[in-house]
Amino acid sequence: MTTVYTTMDSPLGPLLLVGEPSPTAPGGTALAAVSLPGQKNGAEVRPDWRAAPDAFGEIEAQLGSYFAGRRSAFDLEFVPGGTDFRRRVWKALEDIPYGTTLSYGEITARIGASPAAVRAVGTAIGANPLLIVRPCHRVIGANGALTGYAGGLERKRQLLDLESAPS
């Protein structure tokens, strides 16, 4: 499968968007990754990827609307990936409503895992390749503290502030 990419400006800094052509995806591209500069385990452009800014029009439009406060959910197709456990955790992230937060323990309970699995849940959340659109920024510590965001805690705060701002 051909991997395509582009970058777009955002309030968080330039975003690297990575995807694959898909006839069923809105705009024709299924999203594989959204990464920020300096992100822990973020995607990096590879020599065999093809720059294709035109392939990401729909994705960029939805992200732009989100950052402008006009969109609270995304209608995008994602490239499948991750283990079964990670996919369960990532689905739980996608189900967190805009403007709300859950703790790592609450995510653990939502996927039906033992409370002892909370660290594994945190690792799965940290491996989320789709920052912003799969909202791992909505997961906080049990005491309400901002913890563990691959894009950095300052960016996590920016996203949570954006989602709590009046429309």
Side-chain angles (χ1 to χ4, degrees):
M1 182 59 71
T2 302
T3 300
V4 293
Y5 74 93
T6 194
T7 57
M8 72 173 277
D9 291 331
S10 84
L12 305 177
L15 299 178
L16 172 63
L17 307 178
V18 182
E20 295 178 359
S22 170
T24 58
T29 300
L31 194 58
V34 177
S35 294
L36 290 157
Q39 174 186 327
K40 180 181 174 188
N41 300 319
E44 295 182 14
V45 176
R46 298 181 189 164
D48 59 329
W49 292 1
R50 183 174 54 82
D54 293 345
F56 292 89
E58 178 63 24
I59 295 165
E60 287 189 60
Q62 289 191 33
L63 281 163
S65 291
Y66 169 82
F67 287 122
R70 294 188 310 267
R71 175 177 283 277
S72 60
F74 295 92
D75 180 24
L76 300 170
E77 181 179 312
F78 302 142
V79 174
T83 64
D84 178 61
F85 180 78
R86 284 184 176 179
R87 286 191 302 271
R88 286 174 36 219
V89 171
W90 295 344
K91 173 67 174 112
L93 295 178
E94 293 167 16
D95 292 341
I96 302 172
Y98 181 91
T100 63
T101 57
L102 291 177
S103 71
Y104 291 90
E106 289 170 315
I107 295 291
T108 303
R110 282 187 177 207
I111 66 166
S114 157
V118 72
R119 291 180 72 84
V121 166
T123 299
I125 291 169
N128 171 24
L130 296 164
L131 294 189
I132 306 161
V133 298
R134 185 182 286 143
C136 52
H137 60 275
R138 297 179 188 154
V139 181
I140 59 173
N143 63 357
L146 296 188
T147 59
Y149 185 61
L153 293 183
E154 181 180 321
R155 290 174 173 146
K156 183 172 189 164
R157 167 55 52 210
Q158 284 179 271
L159 291 168
L160 292 174
D161 287 349
L162 169 73
E163 293 185 7
S164 66
S167 299

